[in-house]
Structures are given as C-alpha cells and as structure tokens.
Amino acid sequence: MKKIGFIGLGNMGLPMTENLIKAGYEVYGLNRSKAAEDRFAALGGQVGFDRARLAAEMDLIVTCLPMPADVEEVYLGSDGLVSSGREGLVLVDCSTVGPALSRKIGAAAAERGLRFLDAPVSGGTTGAVAGTLSIMVGGDEETFRLAQPVLAAMGQQIDLVGPVGSGSVVKLVNQLMVGIHTQAVSEALALGRKAGLDEAQLVNVLLASFASSRILDRHYKNHIGPGRFEAGFAVKLLAKDLTLAAELAAQSGVGLSAGRRVKGLLDGAVRDGFAEQDMAAMLNYQLLRDEPGEPIKHFAVFLPMKDPELSVKHREEHLQFLAERRAEGKLHANGRFVDGAGGLVIYKARSLEEAESWVKQDPYVVLGARGYEIHEWDIVLAEEA
C-alpha cells in the first residue's frame, strides 16, 4: 500500500499523518478546517481531494474524527466513503465511537466489497507525535494484516482484539478508566492543596507509590504543574466517551457506580465552561465545586411509561442507578405509580441542568423505557402535630 488518505487533521490526526509521511507513504489529507490542511501540506502532505475522490483512488483511508455523528456522516453519508469506495479499499477508523456504529459501518462496507477496521487509539497527542500510540483493532485477520504496516507507522502497541466493534469496546473500557483516574487525581491534589502540602513533592511521592498512574504523570507534568490547560484531550471529548461507556454498560447489564459519578462531573464541567480545556483541568473544576455555591434545591422528575416490556427488563439497572445516587446524597425520594403510569424521582441538586444530567444517565431514559419531565419543586412540609 502506497497511497493513504487521512480524514481528520486535528490534534491527534495531524501528527499521525506526519509519521505516515516520514514512513514513506503518499498521504492525502482532508479536514473541515482548511487551516489544518495548510499545516498538513507544509509537512509534505497532499490536499485538494474530496471524500469521493479519496475513496476512488486511495489504497487505504484512515479517519480520526471527534464525534460519532461525524464518523457516521463521513462513512455512510450520501457522498461517504462506503458509497464511493472502490472494491478492496481498506477503511480504518481511529475515532472513539460506540461498537454498534462500528459494526454498522463494517456491515455496510462489506456489502460493497470494502474492508473495514475499527482501530481507536490511546496515548494522547504525545503518543501521536512520537508514533507510540496504543491501537486497539477490531476486524478480521486478513484486513488487519493488510493495514498493520500503516498502523505500525503511527503506533507501538497494536493489537487485534476481536471482530469489528471490539476495538471500540476496548477503547471505551480504556476511557472509563481514564475518566476515573482523572477524577482521582483531581480529588487527591485538591485535598493536598487544601491541607497545605507542597504539591510538587506530593506528586513525586505519589509517583513512587502505589498511587502512581500514567494519568497522574501526564496531567501534572504537562498541565497542572506548569499551569497550562490548552487541550491535548479536551474535557468535552472525555465526557462524550464516558457517555458512550455508560450506554454500553447499560446495554451490557453492568453497573458503573464510579463511572456514572465521573460522567456527571464531566458533564458539569462542560456546562461550567471547561469543555475546551484539557481533561487535567478537572482539578480546577474540583476546586471550583469545593467553594460555597448555590443552595441545594429539589427537582421532581416524572418518568412516564413508554415501553412496559423495557421497563420490566431494565428495572434492576434503574434501581441500582437510583441506589448509587442515594449513596451520593443526590436522591431525596423515589417510587412508582401503582396505576402503571410510571414513577417519580426527587433529586437534590444546585441547578436544573445538574439534575437533568443525572436523569439522562438513568437506564430507563437511556434505553427508551421511560420519558421524563422535570420541574423544580419548592417543598412545603406539613407542620408536625
């Protein structure tokens, strides 16, 4: 394979293309922002191709896009890679999406005689620049063999982990742990600061102890220590990834006590202006949350029945979700209506947006068993006799 198309020349994609060029490939880039294409051309890449032409002329096309909707449009849109691709074209998606979308693209590609791998990456911009990314690949062995030299130009740890969709599952497991580790770093360093410790010394001790993690090393050395929070990997993208992980967990019948809490915190950070900052800025969000804020309010959530069968099927997941909120002090009361109309949940939160972010994580809502209506509730208690 000689001619490589690459769609998505962002913080990750651009250094990945540079390593492909250094490895001797002819690389043809496409990006929504033409400024990124100019930077790519300055590295020696070729520009001026649209999706249809890339699909018709390339040997292999890599995509590295921020959101699942972008991936679906690039592959399955009216002028997408699948409809425009020539037989035998190899398609490699390095984006982070849900496994269902990867399988949908893989099936559509196979119908047209194209080959597809879902191959999300981990290692951040540092790994993209160094060519040391971890690449978790879903697909068949023959397609993996064809793509492996290209993947080797961008990554160091390259694993075929199962059929199409498996790479996406592994990446979501990875991102779940990244999110939880990020919150652990945020809470630990916030505690250290409030207790008056020398932070640099604290981090050195932690890095030499069982508390050490690559996330702690990365967040502190690259962002927290120097006080620079421009995004290598933005908070909004980690929030998106944990949303996908929560959806996968709900579909798989797995409770995510820590993961759902972290997802809610990430959603809150996005709402409070941290969306474009690096995920290490969750420390700053933690410190902001620790300051006195809005008083706690009550929000009544009506969960009207949409699908009785789904409600029965996912009742235990819903109850587990509420138990987790109760343990976190976020739940005032809950119960079902005996006439089958649905149920009522009363949350304690500082804002409607905060309460709604929890509602949207409820398996009943995520999986379509219930709708929801939410109202701030000014509780007036009856006087005791």
Side-chain angles (χ1 to χ4, degrees):
M1 291 187 178
K2 187 68 175 176
K3 298 173 72 173
I4 308 298
F6 202 108
I7 301 177
L9 305 173
N11 289 341
M12 293 291 292
L14 189 63
M16 291 164 72
T17 61
E18 184 173 9
N19 285 319
L20 289 170
I21 292 168
K22 288 178 180 177
Y25 291 102
E26 296 176 25
V27 187
Y28 298 76
L30 178 62
N31 197 76
R32 213 159 21 198
S33 162
K34 297 309 168 186
E37 289 190 359
D38 291 340
R39 291 191 291 271
F40 168 68
L43 297 174
Q46 305 295 316
V47 295
F49 284 50
D50 59 18
R51 291 192 307 220
R53 189 176 173 193
L54 287 176
E57 297 185 20
M58 297 296 108
D59 299 314
L60 180 148
I61 297 176
V62 179
T63 54
C64 189
L65 300 162
M67 303 300 288
D70 300 321
V71 174
E72 187 161 13
E73 169 60 24
V74 164
Y75 279 95
L76 302 178
S78 58
D79 61 342
L81 299 178
V82 170
S83 64
S84 304
R86 59 177 176 78
E87 186 172 355
L89 173 66
V90 178
L91 302 169
V92 179
D93 182 33
C94 293
S95 317
T96 301
V97 302
L101 178 55
S102 294
R103 295 180 187 120
K104 181 179 178 181
I105 295 170
E111 286 181 3
R112 294 188 55 84
L114 313 181
R115 297 177 175 273
F116 176 76
L117 299 173
D118 62 306
V121 301
S122 181
T125 52
T126 301
V129 170
T132 57
L133 293 169
S134 172
I135 307 178
M136 44 217 81
V137 186
D140 64 81
E141 291 188 9
E142 184 177 355
T143 305
F144 177 68
R145 178 182 56 79
L146 291 171
Q148 194 164 19
V150 176
L151 298 176
M154 301 183 291
Q156 191 171 61
Q157 179 78 30
I158 304 166
D159 295 283
L160 179 63
V161 296
V164 168
S166 301
S168 296
V169 173
V170 174
K171 179 60 186 293
L172 293 182
V173 171
N174 180 83
Q175 294 305 87
L176 173 64
M177 296 186 72
V178 167
I180 293 171
H181 289 175
T182 291
Q183 185 59 25
V185 169
S186 300
E187 293 184 13
L189 295 190
L191 179 59
R193 285 190 184 185
K194 292 296 180 73
L197 297 179
D198 180 307
E199 189 166 86
Q201 184 181 50
L202 170 63
V203 170
N204 284 336
V205 170
L206 294 175
L207 288 173
S209 306
F210 277 166
S212 178
S213 71
R214 293 179 68 180
I215 288 293
L216 172 60
D217 186 55
R218 181 254 188 211
H219 286 3
Y220 189 77
K221 289 183 179 178
N222 296 345
H223 298 280
I224 296 169
R228 296 194 301 264
F229 294 96
E230 60 275 12
F233 190 75
V235 168
K236 67 178 182 182
L237 295 180
L238 186 56
K240 177 265 295 184
D241 292 351
L242 261 70
T243 295
L244 293 172
E247 290 172 356
L248 177 63
Q251 293 160 6
S252 305
V254 176
L256 298 183
S257 300
R260 287 189 180 279
R261 172 168 168 74
V262 171
K263 179 191 175 303
L265 292 169
L266 287 163
D267 290 341
V270 169
R271 290 193 305 270
D272 287 352
F274 292 84
E276 303 294 338
Q277 295 185 36
D278 189 82
M279 58 182 172
M282 288 301 291
L283 168 61
N284 297 333
Y285 179 62
Q286 176 70 34
L287 294 168
L288 178 67
R289 290 178 67 249
D290 290 339
E291 295 176 358
E294 292 291 322
I296 296 295
K297 304 172 185 177
H298 291 83
F299 295 89
V301 180
F302 173 43
L303 299 172
M305 184 69 69
K306 286 178 65 177
D307 189 317
E309 291 186 5
L310 284 178
S311 291
V312 172
K313 180 178 179 181
H314 299 294
R315 183 171 184 270
E316 290 304 318
E317 297 162 58
H318 164 72
L319 293 177
Q320 176 62 33
F321 172 80
L322 293 182
E324 293 165 5
R325 302 293 76 73
R326 183 177 290 106
E328 295 167 355
K330 297 174 180 176
L331 187 66
H332 178 75
N334 66 279
R336 66 182 182 88
F337 296 119
V338 296
D339 62 1
L344 184 69
V345 179
I346 301 173
Y347 286 110
K348 298 182 289 184
R350 287 190 166 88
S351 68
L352 175 67
E353 292 77 17
E354 184 180 7
E356 189 169 28
S357 74
W358 303 333
V359 177
K360 289 180 176 178
Q361 298 174 54
D362 189 327
Y364 267 175
V365 174
V366 171
L367 299 171
R370 305 285 179 90
Y372 74 88
E373 297 176 13
I374 181 169
H375 304 274
E376 184 177 344
W377 188 25
D378 187 8
I379 298 180
V380 179
L381 297 176
E383 293 183 2
E384 295 184 2

